[in-house]
Amino acid sequence: MFELSSIIPDLLKNFGKLLPFRFVIIDEYEQGVFFRAGKAVKLCDSNTGIYFPYYHKGFPWIRFERSGLHFHWAWIEDLPTITNVLQVMETQIQTFTTKDDTEITVSFSISYEIFDAKTYWTKIQEFDSSLENFVQGQLATTLSQKTYNQIKTNSSKLCSELQDKISKKVEVWGVTIDAISIINMTKAQPIRILGIDQVIHNSYND
């Protein structure tokens, strides 16, 4: 038997999705992009929305200021948001060969901040993986040109050099690099597993 009470909660839950308009709140730690009919129109943040009354200690106690509350038509417009405060990512641990044929295993931390969400969304796809791949390429080039002692004794200079190179690349993606630092760096100790397997195999046959 059909019961109206069983579908009322779902109707109320999805009622907002049936409306032709939406309200989006952009917090201070976010940035949004206003899309109209698929085209990025403008950047939005917590100071570009609808005027809203705020309380102030001094006179006049109530002031109307731009807020993070934004309005858009849901059928033709969209307003996605993204966090634009400082973020930190760690590269995967990798092994490189230095100029003096020393194999080292390293990983880096990268602090970055999105300053232009419009460029970020329209110029690059999957930023984190793209950034990590680019960093790994720069690491391979840079570390192969230095000796182990140069890397170990001048790690801050190495990080500064990497930051300059990477910053120029990611700036066109709407991102700025705040800092790059080494998390792990050790001499690699490769184990020839195939050779060991071969020795074991020959001994068994004998």
Side-chain angles (χ1 to χ4, degrees):
M1 184 176 180
F2 177 76
E3 294 183 6
L4 182 61
S5 60
S6 63
I7 65 171
I8 287 180
D10 290 333
L11 289 175
L12 294 176
K13 182 178 180 180
N14 296 295
F15 176 73
K17 297 179 181 179
L18 301 176
L19 298 175
F21 57 85
R22 298 281 190 278
F23 285 99
V24 176
I25 296 178
I26 301 179
D27 296 314
E28 288 189 354
Y29 57 86
E30 294 178 321
Q31 195 175 77
V33 180
F34 189 90
F35 287 89
R36 178 178 292 127
K39 185 176 181 179
V41 178
K42 61 179 180 179
L43 282 173
C44 301
D45 56 31
S46 59
N47 296 309
T48 61
I50 299 171
Y51 280 97
F52 199 83
Y54 289 94
Y55 171 77
H56 289 266
K57 293 182 178 179
F59 181 84
W61 294 279
I62 301 296
R63 301 178 187 176
F64 285 86
E65 301 176 359
R66 289 279 189 180
S67 69
L69 180 63
H70 294 73
F71 169 89
H72 68 89
W73 293 102
W75 296 344
I76 60 172
E77 297 172 341
D78 193 18
L79 184 51
T81 61
I82 192 170
T83 300
N84 68 331
V85 293
L86 192 66
Q87 302 178 64
V88 181
M89 67 171 290
E90 180 180 351
T91 63
Q92 295 182 7
I93 295 177
Q94 285 188 291
T95 300
F96 300 96
T97 302
T98 63
K99 186 178 181 180
D100 56 348
D101 292 326
T102 301
E103 290 191 345
I104 59 174
T105 299
V106 296
S107 66
F108 286 75
S109 70
I110 304 173
S111 304
Y112 67 91
E113 184 175 346
I114 301 170
F115 68 87
D116 188 341
K118 181 179 177 181
T119 302
Y120 177 87
W121 264 318
T122 58
K123 298 299 182 182
I124 187 68
Q125 184 176 5
E126 296 183 357
F127 171 79
D128 285 350
S129 59
S130 298
L131 175 61
E132 185 169 8
N133 290 335
F134 179 73
V135 169
Q136 290 171 351
Q138 290 297 320
L139 284 174
T141 301
T142 303
L143 296 181
S144 65
Q145 298 173 352
K146 300 180 182 298
T147 66
Y148 174 72
N149 286 332
Q150 287 176 330
I151 297 171
K152 185 177 181 180
T153 58
N154 296 295
S155 59
S156 58
K157 183 179 179 181
L158 171 64
C159 292
S160 178
E161 181 180 341
L162 286 170
Q163 183 174 346
D164 290 340
K165 293 180 179 180
I166 297 170
S167 294
K168 293 178 182 179
K169 179 68 175 181
V170 303
E171 186 176 355
V172 298
W173 298 344
V175 178
T176 180
I177 301 295
D178 180 72
I180 295 179
S181 59
I182 297 176
I183 297 179
N184 300 294
M185 186 178 71
T186 58
K187 286 186 177 181
Q189 296 180 352
I191 300 176
R192 297 180 181 177
I193 297 178
L194 294 178
I196 295 174
D197 290 342
Q198 186 65 36
V199 171
I200 294 174
H201 177 72
N202 291 338
S203 300
Y204 181 80
N205 289 336
D206 292 338

